[in-house]
Amino acid sequence: MLLAHYYAGVLGAGALTAAWLFRPSDRTAVTSLSAFVLWTLLAVFGADTETYADSAASVQTVNNTTLAVPQGEQLVAAPLPTEFRLLALLWALLSVLAFILYTLGVYPPDDATGDEPTEANS
């Protein structure tokens, strides 16, 4: 996976996580399950990321003429540190926990907690 695609996945997973975290009453099942899948993919494929690297031009001598021949772009392995992949795994577990709690009816919590003062108490 290209490193640029990995970063786009991180932005997408972050947006999905923010959706179920800050707006839990809207489409929680879809956003939490999608965030779980995307965070899991990012945690699994974080060790296999690659980036483009320009290689230096090689110098060749043909008929007493020195030519610089460009080699082009090559893919170079650029694995992410284990800590980033573990953080992605943590967000995946939190997302699936939010999905499970949403299907059980526990998440999002109700606004009325019973501790609000009534007019008689004020």
Side-chain angles (χ1 to χ4, degrees), residues 4 13 18 37 58 111 114:
V37 170
S58 65
D111 289 337

Side-chain angles (χ1 to χ4, degrees), residues 89-106:
L89 183 63
L90 174 69
W91 280 112
L93 292 175
L94 287 174
S95 297
V96 78
L97 179 64
F99 176 73
I100 292 170
L101 291 177
Y102 178 76
T103 56
L104 293 177
V106 177

